[in-house]
Amino acid sequence: MSGDLSPVDDPVAGPFFAGILEGRFTAQRCNSCEALRWPPLSGCPDCHSRSTTWVEVAPTGTIWSFVVYHRAFQASLKEEIPYTVAMVELDDGPYVVGRLVPGDKPPAVGDRVVAELGEFGGVPSVRWRTA
Ligand SMILES: [Zn+2]
């Protein structure tokens, strides 16, 4: 029996991870007030509606903040130290967290980034590449 949990099986966030595996970058849109949101939630924090549709959003944004890890958050990341995790304000509005692809120069708040979707460390996730 496998028994391994996959983020795709998560009842709330599963469609986000399934979209990544299909090459689609998605967020939830409230069917009542049309607000876009990330991370996935079971209800709208603005109007409290539970009616939601997953929609594709532009995979581009701007670094709002970032932190450089000098200790691995997970053992599987030990070989990548130091690595950077950024909070990105999407051009479509929501903020999304993800690791940065190592680049030629240190990142800065305000840098433009593009999402790379894939399985990194065996987990469907988004990484950000400075544009
Ligand atoms: Zn709403």
Side-chain angles (χ1 to χ4, degrees):
M1 183 170 92
S2 160
D4 289 346
L5 289 176
S6 166
V8 174
D9 298 326
D10 185 274
V12 175
F16 173 75
F17 295 107
I20 285 175
L21 294 176
E22 297 166 359
R24 296 182 300 110
F25 190 45
T26 60
Q28 291 175 307
R29 184 181 62 211
C30 174
N31 289 335
S32 178
C33 74
E34 300 189 352
L36 286 171
R37 67 177 181 266
W38 197 96
L41 298 169
S42 60
C44 177
D46 294 328
C47 75
H48 308 292
S49 170
R50 290 187 174 274
S51 179
T52 296
T53 300
W54 285 90
V55 297
E56 282 197 59
V57 293
T60 52
T62 303
I63 294 177
W64 184 80
S65 185
F66 68 91
V67 62
V68 179
Y69 281 74
H70 293 277
R71 291 179 183 239
F73 185 71
Q74 297 174 304
S76 62
L77 298 173
K78 193 173 180 179
E79 301 301 318
E80 299 186 38
I81 292 174
Y83 61 88
T84 303
V85 174
M87 171 80 79
V88 171
E89 181 180 14
L90 296 182
D91 292 340
D92 286 337
Y95 291 76
V96 177
V97 175
R99 286 176 28 223
L100 286 185
V101 176
D104 297 336
K105 63 180 181 66
V109 169
D111 279 355
R112 295 288 299 160
V113 290
V114 177
E116 287 188 358
L117 310 177
E119 285 192 83
F120 306 111
V123 177
S125 53
V126 57
R127 298 193 317 180
W128 298 103
R129 180 177 296 281
T130 50

Short mmCIF file of all heavy atoms in Angstrom, two decimals, residues 79-121:
data_model
loop_
_atom_site.label_atom_id
_atom_site.label_comp_id
_atom_site.label_asym_id
_atom_site.label_seq_id
_atom_site.Cartn_x
_atom_site.Cartn_y
_atom_site.Cartn_z
N GLU A 79 21.45 20.60 -0.09
CA GLU A 79 22.45 20.81 -1.13
C GLU A 79 22.28 22.16 -1.84
O GLU A 79 23.15 22.57 -2.60
CB GLU A 79 22.39 19.67 -2.16
CG GLU A 79 22.62 18.29 -1.58
CD GLU A 79 23.98 18.15 -0.88
OE1 GLU A 79 24.97 18.66 -1.43
OE2 GLU A 79 24.02 17.57 0.22
N GLU A 80 21.16 22.83 -1.61
CA GLU A 80 20.89 24.08 -2.33
C GLU A 80 21.18 25.33 -1.50
O GLU A 80 20.95 26.44 -1.95
CB GLU A 80 19.44 24.08 -2.83
CG GLU A 80 19.17 22.93 -3.78
CD GLU A 80 17.79 22.99 -4.41
OE1 GLU A 80 17.35 24.11 -4.72
OE2 GLU A 80 17.19 21.94 -4.57
N ILE A 81 21.62 25.15 -0.28
CA ILE A 81 21.92 26.28 0.59
C ILE A 81 23.06 27.13 0.00
O ILE A 81 24.04 26.55 -0.46
CB ILE A 81 22.34 25.79 1.99
CG1 ILE A 81 21.14 25.15 2.68
CG2 ILE A 81 22.91 26.91 2.85
CD1 ILE A 81 21.48 24.51 4.00
N PRO A 82 23.02 28.43 -0.01
CA PRO A 82 21.87 29.23 0.39
C PRO A 82 20.84 29.31 -0.73
O PRO A 82 21.20 29.30 -1.90
CB PRO A 82 22.48 30.62 0.65
CG PRO A 82 23.63 30.68 -0.30
CD PRO A 82 24.15 29.27 -0.40
N TYR A 83 19.56 29.37 -0.37
CA TYR A 83 18.51 29.54 -1.37
C TYR A 83 17.57 30.64 -0.91
O TYR A 83 17.53 30.99 0.27
CB TYR A 83 17.77 28.23 -1.65
CG TYR A 83 17.06 27.62 -0.47
CD1 TYR A 83 15.75 27.97 -0.15
CD2 TYR A 83 17.69 26.68 0.33
CE1 TYR A 83 15.10 27.40 0.93
CE2 TYR A 83 17.05 26.11 1.41
CZ TYR A 83 15.76 26.46 1.71
OH TYR A 83 15.13 25.90 2.77
N THR A 84 16.84 31.20 -1.85
CA THR A 84 16.01 32.37 -1.58
C THR A 84 14.54 32.02 -1.79
O THR A 84 14.18 31.37 -2.77
CB THR A 84 16.39 33.52 -2.52
OG1 THR A 84 17.78 33.80 -2.36
CG2 THR A 84 15.59 34.78 -2.22
N VAL A 85 13.71 32.45 -0.84
CA VAL A 85 12.26 32.31 -0.95
C VAL A 85 11.68 33.72 -1.03
O VAL A 85 12.04 34.58 -0.23
CB VAL A 85 11.67 31.55 0.25
CG1 VAL A 85 10.15 31.53 0.20
CG2 VAL A 85 12.24 30.12 0.30
N ALA A 86 10.83 33.93 -2.02
CA ALA A 86 10.29 35.28 -2.25
C ALA A 86 8.77 35.29 -2.14
O ALA A 86 8.10 34.32 -2.48
CB ALA A 86 10.70 35.78 -3.63
N MET A 87 8.26 36.41 -1.65
CA MET A 87 6.83 36.72 -1.72
C MET A 87 6.67 37.60 -2.96
O MET A 87 7.27 38.68 -3.03
CB MET A 87 6.37 37.46 -0.47
CG MET A 87 4.96 37.99 -0.56
SD MET A 87 3.72 36.74 -0.25
CE MET A 87 3.76 36.64 1.53
N VAL A 88 5.89 37.11 -3.93
CA VAL A 88 5.73 37.81 -5.21
C VAL A 88 4.30 38.35 -5.34
O VAL A 88 3.34 37.61 -5.12
CB VAL A 88 6.05 36.85 -6.38
CG1 VAL A 88 5.69 37.48 -7.71
CG2 VAL A 88 7.53 36.47 -6.34
N GLU A 89 4.20 39.62 -5.66
CA GLU A 89 2.89 40.21 -5.96
C GLU A 89 2.62 39.98 -7.44
O GLU A 89 3.32 40.52 -8.30
CB GLU A 89 2.87 41.70 -5.65
CG GLU A 89 1.51 42.33 -5.93
CD GLU A 89 1.47 43.82 -5.62
OE1 GLU A 89 2.54 44.44 -5.45
OE2 GLU A 89 0.34 44.37 -5.57
N LEU A 90 1.64 39.11 -7.72
CA LEU A 90 1.32 38.82 -9.12
C LEU A 90 0.76 40.06 -9.81
O LEU A 90 0.12 40.90 -9.20
CB LEU A 90 0.27 37.70 -9.20
CG LEU A 90 0.67 36.32 -8.67
CD1 LEU A 90 -0.48 35.34 -8.89
CD2 LEU A 90 1.94 35.83 -9.34
N ASP A 91 0.97 40.12 -11.12
CA ASP A 91 0.39 41.22 -11.90
C ASP A 91 -1.14 41.19 -11.79
O ASP A 91 -1.78 42.24 -11.91
CB ASP A 91 0.81 41.10 -13.37
CG ASP A 91 2.31 41.38 -13.55
OD1 ASP A 91 2.92 41.99 -12.65
OD2 ASP A 91 2.85 40.95 -14.58
N ASP A 92 -1.71 39.99 -11.56
CA ASP A 92 -3.16 39.86 -11.41
C ASP A 92 -3.64 40.10 -9.98
O ASP A 92 -4.84 40.00 -9.71
CB ASP A 92 -3.62 38.49 -11.89
CG ASP A 92 -3.60 38.37 -13.40
OD1 ASP A 92 -3.68 39.43 -14.09
OD2 ASP A 92 -3.51 37.25 -13.93
N GLY A 93 -2.71 40.40 -9.03
CA GLY A 93 -3.14 40.81 -7.71
C GLY A 93 -2.69 39.98 -6.52
O GLY A 93 -2.09 40.53 -5.60
N PRO A 94 -2.97 38.65 -6.49
CA PRO A 94 -2.60 37.89 -5.29
C PRO A 94 -1.10 37.84 -5.06
O PRO A 94 -0.32 38.04 -6.00
CB PRO A 94 -3.14 36.49 -5.58
CG PRO A 94 -4.17 36.66 -6.65
CD PRO A 94 -3.71 37.84 -7.46
N TYR A 95 -0.71 37.51 -3.84
CA TYR A 95 0.68 37.31 -3.47
C TYR A 95 0.93 35.81 -3.38
O TYR A 95 0.12 35.08 -2.81
CB TYR A 95 0.99 37.95 -2.11
CG TYR A 95 0.95 39.45 -2.15
CD1 TYR A 95 -0.26 40.15 -2.17
CD2 TYR A 95 2.13 40.19 -2.14
CE1 TYR A 95 -0.31 41.53 -2.19
CE2 TYR A 95 2.11 41.57 -2.15
CZ TYR A 95 0.88 42.24 -2.19
OH TYR A 95 0.86 43.60 -2.22
N VAL A 96 2.06 35.34 -3.95
CA VAL A 96 2.39 33.92 -3.99
C VAL A 96 3.83 33.74 -3.51
O VAL A 96 4.72 34.51 -3.89
CB VAL A 96 2.23 33.34 -5.42
CG1 VAL A 96 2.65 31.88 -5.47
CG2 VAL A 96 0.79 33.50 -5.90
N VAL A 97 4.04 32.74 -2.68
CA VAL A 97 5.37 32.44 -2.14
C VAL A 97 6.01 31.34 -2.96
O VAL A 97 5.34 30.39 -3.38
CB VAL A 97 5.26 31.99 -0.67
CG1 VAL A 97 6.62 31.55 -0.13
CG2 VAL A 97 4.70 33.10 0.18
N GLY A 98 7.31 31.45 -3.20
CA GLY A 98 8.04 30.38 -3.88
C GLY A 98 9.53 30.64 -3.84
O GLY A 98 9.97 31.76 -3.56
N ARG A 99 10.30 29.58 -4.11
CA ARG A 99 11.76 29.74 -4.15
C ARG A 99 12.17 30.44 -5.43
O ARG A 99 11.51 30.31 -6.46
CB ARG A 99 12.45 28.39 -4.06
CG ARG A 99 12.38 27.85 -2.66
CD ARG A 99 12.95 26.46 -2.45
NE ARG A 99 13.99 26.08 -3.33
CZ ARG A 99 14.04 24.86 -3.89
NH1 ARG A 99 13.11 23.97 -3.66
NH2 ARG A 99 15.04 24.55 -4.68
N LEU A 100 13.27 31.17 -5.37
CA LEU A 100 13.84 31.79 -6.56
C LEU A 100 14.82 30.84 -7.21
O LEU A 100 15.57 30.15 -6.51
CB LEU A 100 14.60 33.07 -6.21
CG LEU A 100 13.82 34.32 -5.85
CD1 LEU A 100 14.80 35.49 -5.68
CD2 LEU A 100 12.78 34.66 -6.89
N VAL A 101 14.83 30.79 -8.53
CA VAL A 101 15.87 30.10 -9.27
C VAL A 101 17.15 30.90 -9.06
O VAL A 101 17.15 32.13 -9.22
CB VAL A 101 15.52 30.03 -10.77
CG1 VAL A 101 16.65 29.38 -11.56
CG2 VAL A 101 14.21 29.26 -10.97
N PRO A 102 18.24 30.23 -8.65
CA PRO A 102 19.49 30.99 -8.44
C PRO A 102 19.85 31.78 -9.70
O PRO A 102 19.78 31.28 -10.81
CB PRO A 102 20.52 29.89 -8.16
CG PRO A 102 19.73 28.73 -7.68
CD PRO A 102 18.41 28.80 -8.41
N GLY A 103 20.24 33.04 -9.49
CA GLY A 103 20.53 33.91 -10.62
C GLY A 103 21.94 34.47 -10.57
O GLY A 103 22.74 34.12 -9.70
N ASP A 104 22.23 35.33 -11.54
CA ASP A 104 23.54 35.94 -11.63
C ASP A 104 23.76 37.02 -10.58
O ASP A 104 24.87 37.30 -10.18
CB ASP A 104 23.73 36.57 -13.02
CG ASP A 104 23.68 35.52 -14.12
OD1 ASP A 104 23.95 34.35 -13.82
OD2 ASP A 104 23.35 35.88 -15.26
N LYS A 105 22.67 37.63 -10.13
CA LYS A 105 22.80 38.72 -9.17
C LYS A 105 21.84 38.49 -8.01
O LYS A 105 20.84 37.77 -8.17
CB LYS A 105 22.49 40.06 -9.84
CG LYS A 105 21.06 40.18 -10.36
CD LYS A 105 20.84 41.54 -11.01
CE LYS A 105 19.41 41.72 -11.52
NZ LYS A 105 18.40 41.77 -10.51
N PRO A 106 22.14 39.07 -6.85
CA PRO A 106 21.22 38.92 -5.72
C PRO A 106 19.87 39.56 -6.06
O PRO A 106 19.83 40.57 -6.77
CB PRO A 106 21.90 39.68 -4.58
CG PRO A 106 23.31 39.87 -5.02
CD PRO A 106 23.31 39.86 -6.52
N PRO A 107 18.77 38.99 -5.58
CA PRO A 107 17.47 39.58 -5.88
C PRO A 107 17.28 40.89 -5.13
O PRO A 107 18.00 41.17 -4.16
CB PRO A 107 16.48 38.52 -5.39
CG PRO A 107 17.22 37.78 -4.32
CD PRO A 107 18.67 37.80 -4.74
N ALA A 108 16.32 41.67 -5.58
CA ALA A 108 15.99 42.93 -4.91
C ALA A 108 14.47 43.09 -4.92
O ALA A 108 13.79 42.63 -5.85
CB ALA A 108 16.64 44.11 -5.62
N VAL A 109 13.96 43.73 -3.88
CA VAL A 109 12.55 44.07 -3.87
C VAL A 109 12.26 44.92 -5.10
O VAL A 109 13.02 45.83 -5.43
CB VAL A 109 12.19 44.83 -2.57
CG1 VAL A 109 10.79 45.42 -2.65
CG2 VAL A 109 12.31 43.88 -1.37
N GLY A 110 11.20 44.58 -5.80
CA GLY A 110 10.84 45.31 -7.02
C GLY A 110 11.29 44.63 -8.29
O GLY A 110 10.87 45.02 -9.37
N ASP A 111 12.14 43.58 -8.17
CA ASP A 111 12.56 42.84 -9.37
C ASP A 111 11.36 42.16 -10.01
O ASP A 111 10.49 41.62 -9.32
CB ASP A 111 13.59 41.76 -9.01
CG ASP A 111 15.01 42.28 -8.86
OD1 ASP A 111 15.22 43.48 -9.12
OD2 ASP A 111 15.88 41.47 -8.46
N ARG A 112 11.34 42.15 -11.34
CA ARG A 112 10.31 41.43 -12.08
C ARG A 112 10.67 39.95 -12.14
O ARG A 112 11.85 39.59 -12.30
CB ARG A 112 10.20 41.99 -13.51
CG ARG A 112 9.72 43.42 -13.57
CD ARG A 112 8.25 43.58 -13.24
NE ARG A 112 7.46 42.82 -14.22
CZ ARG A 112 6.20 42.44 -14.02
NH1 ARG A 112 5.58 42.73 -12.89
NH2 ARG A 112 5.56 41.77 -14.94
N VAL A 113 9.66 39.08 -12.00
CA VAL A 113 9.88 37.63 -12.02
C VAL A 113 8.82 36.95 -12.89
O VAL A 113 7.72 37.49 -13.11
CB VAL A 113 9.86 37.02 -10.60
CG1 VAL A 113 11.08 37.44 -9.80
CG2 VAL A 113 8.58 37.37 -9.87
N VAL A 114 9.20 35.75 -13.36
CA VAL A 114 8.31 34.88 -14.13
C VAL A 114 8.27 33.53 -13.44
O VAL A 114 9.31 33.02 -13.02
CB VAL A 114 8.80 34.74 -15.58
CG1 VAL A 114 7.92 33.78 -16.37
CG2 VAL A 114 8.89 36.09 -16.26
N ALA A 115 7.08 32.94 -13.36
CA ALA A 115 6.93 31.64 -12.69
C ALA A 115 7.43 30.52 -13.58
O ALA A 115 7.21 30.53 -14.79
CB ALA A 115 5.47 31.41 -12.33
N GLU A 116 8.11 29.56 -12.94
CA GLU A 116 8.43 28.28 -13.57
C GLU A 116 7.64 27.22 -12.81
O GLU A 116 7.74 27.14 -11.59
CB GLU A 116 9.92 27.97 -13.48
CG GLU A 116 10.77 28.81 -14.39
CD GLU A 116 12.23 28.35 -14.41
OE1 GLU A 116 12.57 27.40 -13.67
OE2 GLU A 116 13.01 28.96 -15.13
N LEU A 117 6.84 26.47 -13.55
CA LEU A 117 6.00 25.45 -12.93
C LEU A 117 6.62 24.09 -13.16
O LEU A 117 7.11 23.81 -14.25
CB LEU A 117 4.59 25.49 -13.53
CG LEU A 117 3.92 26.86 -13.58
CD1 LEU A 117 2.57 26.75 -14.27
CD2 LEU A 117 3.78 27.44 -12.20
N GLY A 118 6.61 23.24 -12.13
CA GLY A 118 7.15 21.91 -12.31
C GLY A 118 7.19 21.15 -11.00
O GLY A 118 6.68 21.62 -9.98
N GLU A 119 7.81 19.98 -11.07
CA GLU A 119 8.01 19.19 -9.86
C GLU A 119 9.44 19.41 -9.41
O GLU A 119 10.38 19.01 -10.10
CB GLU A 119 7.75 17.71 -10.13
CG GLU A 119 6.27 17.39 -10.26
CD GLU A 119 6.02 15.89 -10.25
OE1 GLU A 119 5.95 15.31 -9.15
OE2 GLU A 119 5.92 15.33 -11.34
N PHE A 120 9.59 20.06 -8.29
CA PHE A 120 10.91 20.35 -7.75
C PHE A 120 11.03 19.58 -6.43
O PHE A 120 10.22 19.77 -5.53
CB PHE A 120 11.10 21.86 -7.56
CG PHE A 120 10.83 22.63 -8.83
CD1 PHE A 120 9.73 23.46 -8.93
CD2 PHE A 120 11.66 22.50 -9.93
CE1 PHE A 120 9.46 24.17 -10.10
CE2 PHE A 120 11.41 23.20 -11.10
CZ PHE A 120 10.31 24.03 -11.19
N GLY A 121 12.01 18.71 -6.33
CA GLY A 121 12.14 17.85 -5.17
C GLY A 121 10.97 16.89 -5.07
O GLY A 121 10.59 16.47 -3.97
#
